[in-house]
PDB file of all heavy atoms in Angstrom:
ATOM      1  N   GLN A   1       4.496   1.258   3.459  1.00 84.00           N
ATOM      2  CA  GLN A   1       5.474   0.161   3.576  1.00 84.00           C
ATOM      3  C   GLN A   1       5.949   0.139   5.056  1.00 84.00           C
ATOM      4  O   GLN A   1       5.717   1.049   5.789  1.00 84.00           O
ATOM      5  CB  GLN A   1       6.640   0.352   2.640  1.00 84.00           C
ATOM      6  CG  GLN A   1       6.268   0.316   1.180  1.00 84.00           C
ATOM      7  CD  GLN A   1       5.776  -1.091   0.797  1.00 84.00           C
ATOM      8  OE1 GLN A   1       6.325  -2.127   1.152  1.00 84.00           O
ATOM      9  NE2 GLN A   1       4.640  -1.101   0.051  1.00 84.00           N
ATOM     10  N   THR A   2       6.606  -0.961   5.393  1.00 84.00           N
ATOM     11  CA  THR A   2       7.148  -1.030   6.752  1.00 84.00           C
ATOM     12  C   THR A   2       8.622  -0.707   6.680  1.00 84.00           C
ATOM     13  O   THR A   2       9.384  -1.263   5.917  1.00 84.00           O
ATOM     14  CB  THR A   2       7.010  -2.464   7.250  1.00 84.00           C
ATOM     15  OG1 THR A   2       5.601  -2.799   7.273  1.00 84.00           O
ATOM     16  CG2 THR A   2       7.486  -2.586   8.688  1.00 84.00           C
ATOM     17  N   ASN A   3       8.980   0.289   7.458  1.00 81.00           N
ATOM     18  CA  ASN A   3      10.411   0.741   7.488  1.00 81.00           C
ATOM     19  C   ASN A   3      11.271  -0.105   8.428  1.00 81.00           C
ATOM     20  O   ASN A   3      10.752  -1.111   8.958  1.00 81.00           O
ATOM     21  CB  ASN A   3      10.503   2.234   7.864  1.00 81.00           C
ATOM     22  CG  ASN A   3      10.031   2.531   9.291  1.00 81.00           C
ATOM     23  OD1 ASN A   3       9.970   1.698  10.122  1.00 81.00           O
ATOM     24  ND2 ASN A   3       9.709   3.797   9.523  1.00 81.00           N
ATOM     25  N   ALA A   4      12.569   0.210   8.565  1.00 79.00           N
ATOM     26  CA  ALA A   4      13.486  -0.550   9.376  1.00 79.00           C
ATOM     27  C   ALA A   4      13.098  -0.606  10.839  1.00 79.00           C
ATOM     28  O   ALA A   4      13.474  -1.536  11.578  1.00 79.00           O
ATOM     29  CB  ALA A   4      14.880  -0.012   9.157  1.00 79.00           C
ATOM     30  N   ARG A   5      12.282   0.367  11.270  1.00 83.00           N
ATOM     31  CA  ARG A   5      11.852   0.401  12.669  1.00 83.00           C
ATOM     32  C   ARG A   5      10.534  -0.396  12.879  1.00 83.00           C
ATOM     33  O   ARG A   5       9.980  -0.385  13.963  1.00 83.00           O
ATOM     34  CB  ARG A   5      11.662   1.858  13.110  1.00 83.00           C
ATOM     35  CG  ARG A   5      12.983   2.659  13.114  1.00 83.00           C
ATOM     36  CD  ARG A   5      12.748   4.108  13.485  1.00 83.00           C
ATOM     37  NE  ARG A   5      11.738   4.847  12.754  1.00 83.00           N
ATOM     38  CZ  ARG A   5      11.933   5.411  11.611  1.00 83.00           C
ATOM     39  NH1 ARG A   5      13.064   5.359  11.007  1.00 83.00           N
ATOM     40  NH2 ARG A   5      10.950   6.045  10.974  1.00 83.00           N
ATOM     41  N   GLY A   6      10.020  -0.946  11.774  1.00 87.00           N
ATOM     42  CA  GLY A   6       8.793  -1.707  11.862  1.00 87.00           C
ATOM     43  C   GLY A   6       7.519  -0.836  11.822  1.00 87.00           C
ATOM     44  O   GLY A   6       6.436  -1.337  12.071  1.00 87.00           O
ATOM     45  N   GLU A   7       7.682   0.415  11.435  1.00 86.00           N
ATOM     46  CA  GLU A   7       6.542   1.371  11.362  1.00 86.00           C
ATOM     47  C   GLU A   7       6.081   1.494   9.929  1.00 86.00           C
ATOM     48  O   GLU A   7       6.822   1.371   8.959  1.00 86.00           O
ATOM     49  CB  GLU A   7       6.996   2.705  11.879  1.00 86.00           C
ATOM     50  CG  GLU A   7       7.550   2.686  13.286  1.00 86.00           C
ATOM     51  CD  GLU A   7       8.352   3.911  13.605  1.00 86.00           C
ATOM     52  OE1 GLU A   7       8.778   4.704  12.668  1.00 86.00           O
ATOM     53  OE2 GLU A   7       8.540   4.135  14.830  1.00 86.00           O
ATOM     54  N   LYS A   8       4.739   1.817   9.747  1.00 88.00           N
ATOM     55  CA  LYS A   8       4.218   2.129   8.433  1.00 88.00           C
ATOM     56  C   LYS A   8       4.731   3.512   8.022  1.00 88.00           C
ATOM     57  O   LYS A   8       4.858   4.435   8.847  1.00 88.00           O
ATOM     58  CB  LYS A   8       2.695   2.141   8.444  1.00 88.00           C
ATOM     59  CG  LYS A   8       2.063   0.798   8.658  1.00 88.00           C
ATOM     60  CD  LYS A   8       2.248  -0.070   7.461  1.00 88.00           C
ATOM     61  CE  LYS A   8       1.514  -1.393   7.638  1.00 88.00           C
ATOM     62  NZ  LYS A   8       1.830  -2.346   6.601  1.00 88.00           N
ATOM     63  N   THR A   9       5.083   3.623   6.733  1.00 85.00           N
ATOM     64  CA  THR A   9       5.711   4.862   6.273  1.00 85.00           C
ATOM     65  C   THR A   9       4.747   5.764   5.545  1.00 85.00           C
ATOM     66  O   THR A   9       3.713   5.352   5.058  1.00 85.00           O
ATOM     67  CB  THR A   9       6.844   4.479   5.312  1.00 85.00           C
ATOM     68  OG1 THR A   9       6.246   3.804   4.178  1.00 85.00           O
ATOM     69  CG2 THR A   9       7.904   3.642   5.942  1.00 85.00           C
ATOM     70  N   ASN A  10       5.215   7.031   5.451  1.00 80.00           N
ATOM     71  CA  ASN A  10       4.594   7.990   4.567  1.00 80.00           C
ATOM     72  C   ASN A  10       5.314   7.947   3.218  1.00 80.00           C
ATOM     73  O   ASN A  10       6.400   7.354   3.157  1.00 80.00           O
ATOM     74  CB  ASN A  10       4.748   9.408   5.169  1.00 80.00           C
ATOM     75  CG  ASN A  10       3.994   9.538   6.498  1.00 80.00           C
ATOM     76  OD1 ASN A  10       2.842   9.170   6.634  1.00 80.00           O
ATOM     77  ND2 ASN A  10       4.689  10.074   7.472  1.00 80.00           N
ATOM     78  N   ALA A  11       4.747   8.480   2.218  1.00 80.00           N
ATOM     79  CA  ALA A  11       5.422   8.522   0.908  1.00 80.00           C
ATOM     80  C   ALA A  11       6.747   9.268   1.038  1.00 80.00           C
ATOM     81  O   ALA A  11       6.845  10.211   1.693  1.00 80.00           O
ATOM     82  CB  ALA A  11       4.533   9.164  -0.141  1.00 80.00           C
ATOM     83  N   HIS A  12       7.749   8.746   0.331  1.00 88.00           N
ATOM     84  CA  HIS A  12       9.084   9.358   0.176  1.00 88.00           C
ATOM     85  C   HIS A  12       9.850   9.422   1.466  1.00 88.00           C
ATOM     86  O   HIS A  12      10.776  10.255   1.654  1.00 88.00           O
ATOM     87  CB  HIS A  12       9.020  10.731  -0.425  1.00 88.00           C
ATOM     88  CG  HIS A  12       8.059  10.853  -1.609  1.00 88.00           C
ATOM     89  ND1 HIS A  12       8.113  10.037  -2.686  1.00 88.00           N
ATOM     90  CD2 HIS A  12       7.058  11.739  -1.804  1.00 88.00           C
ATOM     91  CE1 HIS A  12       7.182  10.453  -3.518  1.00 88.00           C
ATOM     92  NE2 HIS A  12       6.511  11.456  -3.010  1.00 88.00           N
ATOM     93  N   GLU A  13       9.577   8.540   2.451  1.00 88.00           N
ATOM     94  CA  GLU A  13      10.341   8.492   3.687  1.00 88.00           C
ATOM     95  C   GLU A  13      11.687   7.807   3.370  1.00 88.00           C
ATOM     96  O   GLU A  13      11.742   6.760   2.804  1.00 88.00           O
ATOM     97  CB  GLU A  13       9.561   7.695   4.748  1.00 88.00           C
ATOM     98  CG  GLU A  13      10.314   7.676   6.071  1.00 88.00           C
ATOM     99  CD  GLU A  13       9.479   6.925   7.141  1.00 88.00           C
ATOM    100  OE1 GLU A  13       8.267   7.163   7.223  1.00 88.00           O
ATOM    101  OE2 GLU A  13      10.068   6.099   7.859  1.00 88.00           O
ATOM    102  N   ASP A  14      12.800   8.433   3.887  1.00 89.00           N
ATOM    103  CA  ASP A  14      14.100   7.864   3.598  1.00 89.00           C
ATOM    104  C   ASP A  14      14.267   6.468   4.220  1.00 89.00           C
ATOM    105  O   ASP A  14      13.899   6.196   5.379  1.00 89.00           O
ATOM    106  CB  ASP A  14      15.181   8.713   4.272  1.00 89.00           C
ATOM    107  CG  ASP A  14      15.372  10.052   3.592  1.00 89.00           C
ATOM    108  OD1 ASP A  14      14.851  10.230   2.472  1.00 89.00           O
ATOM    109  OD2 ASP A  14      16.069  10.916   4.147  1.00 89.00           O
ATOM    110  N   ASP A  15      14.864   5.566   3.447  1.00 88.00           N
ATOM    111  CA  ASP A  15      15.255   4.218   3.881  1.00 88.00           C
ATOM    112  C   ASP A  15      16.718   4.323   4.343  1.00 88.00           C
ATOM    113  O   ASP A  15      17.643   4.072   3.571  1.00 88.00           O
ATOM    114  CB  ASP A  15      15.080   3.176   2.828  1.00 88.00           C
ATOM    115  CG  ASP A  15      15.500   1.773   3.207  1.00 88.00           C
ATOM    116  OD1 ASP A  15      16.026   1.600   4.389  1.00 88.00           O
ATOM    117  OD2 ASP A  15      15.363   0.847   2.428  1.00 88.00           O
ATOM    118  N   THR A  16      16.906   4.727   5.555  1.00 86.00           N
ATOM    119  CA  THR A  16      18.304   4.992   6.045  1.00 86.00           C
ATOM    120  C   THR A  16      19.140   3.724   6.309  1.00 86.00           C
ATOM    121  O   THR A  16      20.294   3.823   6.619  1.00 86.00           O
ATOM    122  CB  THR A  16      18.286   5.943   7.294  1.00 86.00           C
ATOM    123  OG1 THR A  16      17.472   5.255   8.301  1.00 86.00           O
ATOM    124  CG2 THR A  16      17.718   7.284   6.970  1.00 86.00           C
ATOM    125  N   ALA A  17      18.491   2.600   6.146  1.00 85.00           N
ATOM    126  CA  ALA A  17      19.279   1.322   6.213  1.00 85.00           C
ATOM    127  C   ALA A  17      19.969   0.997   4.899  1.00 85.00           C
ATOM    128  O   ALA A  17      20.727   0.030   4.878  1.00 85.00           O
ATOM    129  CB  ALA A  17      18.337   0.192   6.661  1.00 85.00           C
ATOM    130  N   ASN A  18      19.693   1.775   3.868  1.00 86.00           N
ATOM    131  CA  ASN A  18      20.267   1.449   2.550  1.00 86.00           C
ATOM    132  C   ASN A  18      20.896   2.664   1.869  1.00 86.00           C
ATOM    133  O   ASN A  18      20.730   2.921   0.686  1.00 86.00           O
ATOM    134  CB  ASN A  18      19.156   0.890   1.587  1.00 86.00           C
ATOM    135  CG  ASN A  18      18.795  -0.477   2.041  1.00 86.00           C
ATOM    136  OD1 ASN A  18      19.547  -1.392   1.852  1.00 86.00           O
ATOM    137  ND2 ASN A  18      17.592  -0.629   2.603  1.00 86.00           N
ATOM    138  N   ILE A  19      21.680   3.433   2.616  1.00 86.00           N
ATOM    139  CA  ILE A  19      22.320   4.637   2.061  1.00 86.00           C
ATOM    140  C   ILE A  19      23.542   4.166   1.277  1.00 86.00           C
ATOM    141  O   ILE A  19      24.346   3.387   1.726  1.00 86.00           O
ATOM    142  CB  ILE A  19      22.745   5.605   3.198  1.00 86.00           C
ATOM    143  CG1 ILE A  19      21.513   6.066   3.957  1.00 86.00           C
ATOM    144  CG2 ILE A  19      23.478   6.798   2.692  1.00 86.00           C
ATOM    145  CD1 ILE A  19      21.820   6.792   5.248  1.00 86.00           C
ATOM    146  N   GLU A  20      23.728   4.688   0.076  1.00 86.00           N
ATOM    147  CA  GLU A  20      24.865   4.409  -0.784  1.00 86.00           C
ATOM    148  C   GLU A  20      25.744   5.628  -1.017  1.00 86.00           C
ATOM    149  O   GLU A  20      25.247   6.772  -0.968  1.00 86.00           O
ATOM    150  CB  GLU A  20      24.358   3.864  -2.143  1.00 86.00           C
ATOM    151  CG  GLU A  20      23.512   2.627  -2.090  1.00 86.00           C
ATOM    152  CD  GLU A  20      24.256   1.415  -2.579  1.00 86.00           C
ATOM    153  OE1 GLU A  20      25.359   1.530  -3.148  1.00 86.00           O
ATOM    154  OE2 GLU A  20      23.760   0.321  -2.277  1.00 86.00           O
ATOM    155  N   ASN A  21      27.024   5.381  -1.293  1.00 84.00           N
ATOM    156  CA  ASN A  21      27.966   6.412  -1.554  1.00 84.00           C
ATOM    157  C   ASN A  21      29.122   5.758  -2.338  1.00 84.00           C
ATOM    158  O   ASN A  21      28.956   4.772  -2.976  1.00 84.00           O
ATOM    159  CB  ASN A  21      28.475   7.042  -0.249  1.00 84.00           C
ATOM    160  CG  ASN A  21      29.452   8.175  -0.393  1.00 84.00           C
ATOM    161  OD1 ASN A  21      30.568   8.101   0.107  1.00 84.00           O
ATOM    162  ND2 ASN A  21      29.109   9.213  -1.123  1.00 84.00           N
ATOM    163  N   ARG A  22      30.272   6.308  -2.286  1.00 80.00           N
ATOM    164  CA  ARG A  22      31.498   5.718  -2.780  1.00 80.00           C
ATOM    165  C   ARG A  22      31.651   5.877  -4.320  1.00 80.00           C
ATOM    166  O   ARG A  22      32.176   4.942  -4.938  1.00 80.00           O
ATOM    167  CB  ARG A  22      31.706   4.295  -2.334  1.00 80.00           C
ATOM    168  CG  ARG A  22      31.753   4.092  -0.861  1.00 80.00           C
ATOM    169  CD  ARG A  22      32.989   4.770  -0.257  1.00 80.00           C
ATOM    170  NE  ARG A  22      32.976   4.751   1.178  1.00 80.00           N
ATOM    171  CZ  ARG A  22      33.858   4.124   1.936  1.00 80.00           C
ATOM    172  NH1 ARG A  22      34.811   3.447   1.381  1.00 80.00           N
ATOM    173  NH2 ARG A  22      33.776   4.186   3.255  1.00 80.00           N
ATOM    174  N   GLY A  23      31.196   6.966  -4.885  1.00 83.00           N
ATOM    175  CA  GLY A  23      31.433   7.191  -6.255  1.00 83.00           C
ATOM    176  C   GLY A  23      32.813   7.822  -6.445  1.00 83.00           C
ATOM    177  O   GLY A  23      33.488   8.182  -5.477  1.00 83.00           O
ATOM    178  N   ASP A  24      33.324   7.859  -7.638  1.00 83.00           N
ATOM    179  CA  ASP A  24      34.635   8.469  -7.914  1.00 83.00           C
ATOM    180  C   ASP A  24      34.412  10.005  -8.119  1.00 83.00           C
ATOM    181  O   ASP A  24      33.495  10.450  -8.771  1.00 83.00           O
ATOM    182  CB  ASP A  24      35.215   7.947  -9.209  1.00 83.00           C
ATOM    183  CG  ASP A  24      35.678   6.473  -9.077  1.00 83.00           C
ATOM    184  OD1 ASP A  24      35.960   6.047  -7.942  1.00 83.00           O
ATOM    185  OD2 ASP A  24      35.741   5.805 -10.081  1.00 83.00           O
ATOM    186  N   LEU A  25      35.295  10.773  -7.438  1.00 82.00           N
ATOM    187  CA  LEU A  25      35.135  12.221  -7.501  1.00 82.00           C
ATOM    188  C   LEU A  25      35.970  12.856  -8.589  1.00 82.00           C
ATOM    189  O   LEU A  25      37.080  12.455  -8.887  1.00 82.00           O
ATOM    190  CB  LEU A  25      35.637  12.828  -6.141  1.00 82.00           C
ATOM    191  CG  LEU A  25      34.945  12.315  -4.855  1.00 82.00           C
ATOM    192  CD1 LEU A  25      35.482  13.060  -3.651  1.00 82.00           C
ATOM    193  CD2 LEU A  25      33.426  12.495  -4.947  1.00 82.00           C
ATOM    194  N   CYS A  26      35.413  13.900  -9.175  1.00 81.00           N
ATOM    195  CA  CYS A  26      36.103  14.772 -10.149  1.00 81.00           C
ATOM    196  C   CYS A  26      36.119  16.151  -9.563  1.00 81.00           C
ATOM    197  O   CYS A  26      35.035  16.666  -9.262  1.00 81.00           O
ATOM    198  CB  CYS A  26      35.347  14.722 -11.458  1.00 81.00           C
ATOM    199  SG  CYS A  26      35.998  15.958 -12.696  1.00 81.00           S
ATOM    200  N   PRO A  27      37.237  16.841  -9.425  1.00 82.00           N
ATOM    201  CA  PRO A  27      38.525  16.276  -9.683  1.00 82.00           C
ATOM    202  C   PRO A  27      38.894  15.252  -8.625  1.00 82.00           C
ATOM    203  O   PRO A  27      38.399  15.363  -7.551  1.00 82.00           O
ATOM    204  CB  PRO A  27      39.446  17.473  -9.639  1.00 82.00           C
ATOM    205  CG  PRO A  27      38.699  18.599  -9.000  1.00 82.00           C
ATOM    206  CD  PRO A  27      37.267  18.209  -8.966  1.00 82.00           C
ATOM    207  N   THR A  28      39.482  14.264  -8.902  1.00 77.00           N
ATOM    208  CA  THR A  28      40.669  13.869  -9.640  1.00 77.00           C
ATOM    209  C   THR A  28      40.313  12.895 -10.761  1.00 77.00           C
ATOM    210  O   THR A  28      41.053  12.780 -11.723  1.00 77.00           O
ATOM    211  CB  THR A  28      41.719  13.258  -8.734  1.00 77.00           C
ATOM    212  OG1 THR A  28      41.107  12.232  -7.969  1.00 77.00           O
ATOM    213  CG2 THR A  28      42.321  14.240  -7.796  1.00 77.00           C
ATOM    214  N   MET A  29      39.267  12.097 -10.605  1.00 81.00           N
ATOM    215  CA  MET A  29      38.896  11.101 -11.650  1.00 81.00           C
ATOM    216  C   MET A  29      37.883  11.806 -12.604  1.00 81.00           C
ATOM    217  O   MET A  29      36.698  11.664 -12.473  1.00 81.00           O
ATOM    218  CB  MET A  29      38.211   9.919 -10.965  1.00 81.00           C
ATOM    219  CG  MET A  29      39.094   9.211  -9.909  1.00 81.00           C
ATOM    220  SD  MET A  29      40.545   8.488 -10.592  1.00 81.00           S
ATOM    221  CE  MET A  29      39.899   7.052 -11.357  1.00 81.00           C
ATOM    222  N   CYS A  30      38.429  12.511 -13.645  1.00 82.00           N
ATOM    223  CA  CYS A  30      37.591  13.329 -14.520  1.00 82.00           C
ATOM    224  C   CYS A  30      37.561  12.775 -15.990  1.00 82.00           C
ATOM    225  O   CYS A  30      37.024  13.437 -16.811  1.00 82.00           O
ATOM    226  CB  CYS A  30      38.102  14.743 -14.509  1.00 82.00           C
ATOM    227  SG  CYS A  30      37.956  15.475 -12.877  1.00 82.00           S
TER     228      CYS A  30
END
């Protein structure tokens, strides 16, 4: 595939343009 830098990728290369976070943490939201 073509990555964000326009290069062909190897298998399982991170797509660092699409990093997700922001889940609720336990503790406190348990």
Side-chain angles (χ1 to χ4, degrees):
Q1 296 297 314
T2 302
N3 64 21
R5 298 178 307 276
E7 305 163 341
K8 293 288 183 189
T9 62
N10 296 312
H12 317 308
E13 182 179 316
D14 289 349
D15 178 357
T16 55
N18 287 290
I19 301 171
E20 298 255 346
N21 182 237
R22 303 294 173 115
D24 290 336
L25 302 183
C26 171
T28 53
M29 303 295 283
C30 297

